[in-house]
Amino acid sequence: MSNNQFKKGELYSFITGKASTAMARRLQKNFKQHGIEITIEQWSVLYHLWKQDGLSQQELCSATFRDKPSITRLVDNLEKLKLVKRVASKEDRRMNLINLTEAAKKLQDQTMDMANQTLNEALGGVTAEEIEICKSVLQRVYDNLK
Amino acid sequence: MSNNQFKKGELYSFITGKASTAMARRLQKNFKQHGIEITIEQWSVLYHLWKQDGLSQQELCSATFRDKPSITRLVDNLEKLKLVKRVASKEDRRMNLINLTEAAKKLQDQTMDMANQTLNEALGGVTAEEIEICKSVLQRVYDNLK
DNA sequence: GACATATAGTTAGTTATGCAACCAATTCAA
DNA sequence: TTGAATTGGTTGCATAACTAACTATATGTC
């Protein structure tokens, strides 16, 4: 049992570990080299708006697994960059609906290509089956803890 | 091919995604509930010092996958908490050797138990084989990108 | 209608990360 | 042995994260 726990302890370093940040940093670098001056955190917000424009900040919280203050500032910074605009909802005046600008729409294809390319690099030598298992493990870890 | 890429795109959200931060947050909460006022980032530094005391900051960089400024500040904060002490190396006066205090040594057993417990919760319903595959995928992702 | 409660979003404070520029000690080479 | 390059560490700046406390709108109950 203590042996088993030690093995799990090793996994801990991988999960908190740096595969994800290595990927984030690589993607960020690709953006920068192509003159795209957004952070991957900002990109992850745009990612969900590209799938569906006009989400509320609360919906962005759920979609990106962030808390409210985090989304407030990410939207602040995206607004400064003129990539989104807050629009007060008419049905519920507490809500801000976040709308993409034309500039943000233009970023979609370009950055999605870079993201896919980064993923191809990252997943070199990994089979589709292993990917599925890894996805499902990470999903269960998340579900177990949330 | 584009189908394949879409599947990978989904993985991206899992890898950058929040399994790791969910685990970190849970462990942090466990610490707090037991009156242990350190962050999991600070804990991850102590973790390596428990395995081997007196590492240099550079060695802590490699061990924790962080850059030099990050370690400088984490050690700053650990020093404020009187959990470590910087000691200039006698062989190479550029180096700080980081030594655990007695207070830090006392934290080891307690926090390791909590970490193992958090991992057991996180890995509920995941087989040992799946864990191994997941570890190996994350390791390859890291190696592909570093 | 009035008060309690819940929900959407913001603000303030602390910690952490990445990058770039920097200083100081060491090593290497002409 | 002197000058260049390397290595270990620090500082400044910007972005982002979590917690807690706050405002404002909306809902629900008596």
Side-chain angles (χ1 to χ4, degrees):
Chain A
M1 175 56 93
S2 74
N3 227 329
N4 185 29
Q5 291 199 336
F6 182 68
K7 282 169 82 176
K8 289 181 179 178
E10 299 233 321
L11 178 64
Y12 179 80
S13 66
F14 283 106
I15 290 196
T16 68
K18 298 304 156 172
S20 61
T21 54
M23 191 127 93
R25 214 157 41 199
R26 171 67 60 93
L27 184 53
Q28 179 91 61
K29 191 178 290 183
N30 285 357
F31 284 173
K32 197 162 195 178
Q33 280 171 354
H34 289 79
I36 297 174
E37 297 288 341
I38 59 174
T39 66
I40 60 114
E41 289 84 3
Q42 292 165 0
W43 178 81
S44 77
V45 171
L46 294 178
Y47 180 89
H48 292 281
L49 291 172
W50 286 323
K51 288 199 287 190
Q52 187 182 346
D53 200 359
L55 294 173
S56 72
Q57 294 189 195
Q58 197 58 242
E59 287 168 326
L60 285 172
C61 290
S62 318
T64 66
F65 306 105
R66 289 183 172 86
D67 65 359
K68 293 191 292 173
S70 298
I71 290 297
T72 293
R73 319 245 181 195
L74 282 170
V75 172
D76 284 349
N77 286 334
L78 285 167
E79 229 175 9
K80 276 185 216 153
L81 293 170
K82 302 205 186 297
L83 293 172
V84 304
K85 260 171 77 173
R86 284 181 169 93
V87 178
S89 163
K90 286 174 185 171
E91 290 87 46
D92 185 337
R93 293 211 321 263
R94 290 172 301 181
M95 283 203 289
N96 293 331
L97 304 182
I98 311 303
N99 289 111
L100 292 165
T101 64
E102 288 306 312
K105 288 176 189 165
K106 284 180 189 150
L107 282 179
Q108 178 170 9
D109 291 343
Q110 207 179 352
T111 58
M112 291 299 270
D113 283 351
M114 285 182 217
N116 277 323
Q117 191 186 322
T118 303
L119 255 145
N120 283 327
E121 289 172 39
L123 294 175
V126 180
T127 68
E129 195 192 350
E130 288 172 321
I131 292 175
E132 284 310 309
I133 292 170
C134 192
K135 268 174 70 169
S136 110
V137 168
L138 294 175
Q139 180 64 53
R140 272 175 285 168
V141 165
Y142 180 77
D143 291 338
N144 284 338
L145 294 177
K146 80 178 169 195
Chain B
M1 174 58 91
S2 74
N3 228 329
N4 186 29
Q5 291 198 339
F6 181 70
K7 282 169 81 175
K8 289 181 179 178
E10 299 235 320
L11 179 65
Y12 180 80
S13 67
F14 283 108
I15 289 198
T16 66
K18 300 301 159 177
S20 61
T21 53
M23 190 125 94
R25 215 158 37 199
R26 170 65 62 93
L27 185 52
Q28 180 92 62
K29 192 177 290 184
N30 285 356
F31 284 173
K32 198 162 196 178
Q33 281 171 351
H34 289 79
I36 298 174
E37 296 288 340
I38 59 175
T39 68
I40 60 116
E41 289 83 4
Q42 292 165 359
W43 178 81
S44 78
V45 171
L46 294 177
Y47 178 91
H48 292 281
L49 293 172
W50 287 323
K51 289 199 288 189
Q52 187 181 346
D53 200 0
L55 295 172
S56 70
Q57 294 190 194
Q58 197 58 241
E59 287 168 325
L60 285 172
C61 290
S62 319
T64 64
F65 306 104
R66 288 182 171 86
D67 67 357
K68 294 191 292 172
S70 295
I71 289 297
T72 293
R73 307 211 210 224
L74 281 170
V75 172
D76 284 350
N77 286 334
L78 284 168
E79 231 176 8
K80 276 185 217 154
L81 294 169
K82 302 204 186 300
L83 293 172
V84 304
K85 259 171 76 174
R86 284 180 168 94
V87 179
S89 163
K90 287 173 183 171
E91 290 87 46
D92 185 338
R93 292 210 322 261
R94 289 171 302 181
M95 281 203 290
N96 294 332
L97 305 182
I98 311 303
N99 290 110
L100 292 165
T101 64
E102 288 306 312
K105 288 176 189 166
K106 285 180 190 153
L107 282 179
Q108 178 171 10
D109 291 342
Q110 207 180 351
T111 58
M112 291 299 270
D113 283 350
M114 285 181 219
N116 277 322
Q117 192 186 321
T118 303
L119 254 145
N120 282 327
E121 288 172 41
L123 294 175
V126 181
T127 68
E129 195 192 349
E130 287 172 323
I131 291 175
E132 283 311 307
I133 291 171
C134 191
K135 270 173 68 169
S136 113
V137 167
L138 294 175
Q139 179 64 53
R140 273 175 284 168
V141 165
Y142 181 77
D143 291 338
N144 284 337
L145 294 177
K146 77 179 172 193

